[in-house]
PDB file of all heavy atoms in Angstrom:
ATOM      1  N   GLU A  58      12.646   5.985   3.500  1.00 89.00           N
ATOM      2  CA  GLU A  58      12.996   5.119   4.647  1.00 89.00           C
ATOM      3  C   GLU A  58      11.814   4.580   5.433  1.00 89.00           C
ATOM      4  O   GLU A  58      11.974   3.832   6.372  1.00 89.00           O
ATOM      5  CB  GLU A  58      13.989   5.793   5.584  1.00 89.00           C
ATOM      6  CG  GLU A  58      15.347   6.134   4.887  1.00 89.00           C
ATOM      7  CD  GLU A  58      16.112   4.953   4.368  1.00 89.00           C
ATOM      8  OE1 GLU A  58      16.147   3.903   5.109  1.00 89.00           O
ATOM      9  OE2 GLU A  58      16.587   5.023   3.240  1.00 89.00           O
ATOM     10  N   CYS A  59      10.603   5.027   5.077  1.00 93.00           N
ATOM     11  CA  CYS A  59       9.433   4.653   5.794  1.00 93.00           C
ATOM     12  C   CYS A  59       9.102   3.186   5.563  1.00 93.00           C
ATOM     13  O   CYS A  59       9.343   2.672   4.474  1.00 93.00           O
ATOM     14  CB  CYS A  59       8.224   5.495   5.368  1.00 93.00           C
ATOM     15  SG  CYS A  59       8.278   7.200   5.920  1.00 93.00           S
ATOM     16  N   GLY A  60       8.496   2.564   6.604  1.00 93.00           N
ATOM     17  CA  GLY A  60       8.028   1.158   6.433  1.00 93.00           C
ATOM     18  C   GLY A  60       6.685   1.089   5.786  1.00 93.00           C
ATOM     19  O   GLY A  60       5.904   2.039   5.868  1.00 93.00           O
ATOM     20  N   ALA A  61       6.453   0.012   5.072  1.00 96.00           N
ATOM     21  CA  ALA A  61       5.130  -0.232   4.450  1.00 96.00           C
ATOM     22  C   ALA A  61       4.137  -0.811   5.449  1.00 96.00           C
ATOM     23  O   ALA A  61       4.526  -1.648   6.294  1.00 96.00           O
ATOM     24  CB  ALA A  61       5.299  -1.138   3.263  1.00 96.00           C
ATOM     25  N   PRO A  62       2.885  -0.460   5.313  1.00 96.00           N
ATOM     26  CA  PRO A  62       1.846  -1.054   6.122  1.00 96.00           C
ATOM     27  C   PRO A  62       1.545  -2.511   5.730  1.00 96.00           C
ATOM     28  O   PRO A  62       1.823  -2.913   4.585  1.00 96.00           O
ATOM     29  CB  PRO A  62       0.629  -0.142   5.916  1.00 96.00           C
ATOM     30  CG  PRO A  62       0.859   0.406   4.598  1.00 96.00           C
ATOM     31  CD  PRO A  62       2.314   0.546   4.399  1.00 96.00           C
ATOM     32  N   THR A  63       0.962  -3.259   6.625  1.00 96.00           N
ATOM     33  CA  THR A  63       0.594  -4.623   6.324  1.00 96.00           C
ATOM     34  C   THR A  63      -0.887  -4.744   5.891  1.00 96.00           C
ATOM     35  O   THR A  63      -1.746  -4.242   6.634  1.00 96.00           O
ATOM     36  CB  THR A  63       0.834  -5.519   7.574  1.00 96.00           C
ATOM     37  OG1 THR A  63       2.225  -5.426   7.948  1.00 96.00           O
ATOM     38  CG2 THR A  63       0.465  -6.965   7.354  1.00 96.00           C
ATOM     39  N   PRO A  64      -1.194  -5.341   4.765  1.00 98.00           N
ATOM     40  CA  PRO A  64      -2.562  -5.552   4.367  1.00 98.00           C
ATOM     41  C   PRO A  64      -3.339  -6.439   5.306  1.00 98.00           C
ATOM     42  O   PRO A  64      -2.809  -7.458   5.789  1.00 98.00           O
ATOM     43  CB  PRO A  64      -2.448  -6.186   3.008  1.00 98.00           C
ATOM     44  CG  PRO A  64      -1.042  -5.900   2.537  1.00 98.00           C
ATOM     45  CD  PRO A  64      -0.255  -5.834   3.773  1.00 98.00           C
ATOM     46  N   ILE A  65      -4.560  -6.039   5.613  1.00 97.00           N
ATOM     47  CA  ILE A  65      -5.455  -6.828   6.463  1.00 97.00           C
ATOM     48  C   ILE A  65      -6.640  -7.256   5.607  1.00 97.00           C
ATOM     49  O   ILE A  65      -7.283  -6.399   4.984  1.00 97.00           O
ATOM     50  CB  ILE A  65      -5.988  -5.953   7.628  1.00 97.00           C
ATOM     51  CG1 ILE A  65      -4.805  -5.321   8.459  1.00 97.00           C
ATOM     52  CG2 ILE A  65      -6.920  -6.729   8.545  1.00 97.00           C
ATOM     53  CD1 ILE A  65      -3.942  -6.290   9.148  1.00 97.00           C
ATOM     54  N   PRO A  66      -6.958  -8.553   5.564  1.00 98.00           N
ATOM     55  CA  PRO A  66      -8.072  -8.987   4.721  1.00 98.00           C
ATOM     56  C   PRO A  66      -9.459  -8.468   5.206  1.00 98.00           C
ATOM     57  O   PRO A  66      -9.610  -8.322   6.430  1.00 98.00           O
ATOM     58  CB  PRO A  66      -8.007 -10.500   4.795  1.00 98.00           C
ATOM     59  CG  PRO A  66      -7.125 -10.841   5.940  1.00 98.00           C
ATOM     60  CD  PRO A  66      -6.323  -9.658   6.239  1.00 98.00           C
TER      61      PRO A  66
END
Side-chain angles (χ1 to χ4, degrees):
E58 298 297 319
C59 289
T63 301
I65 306 294

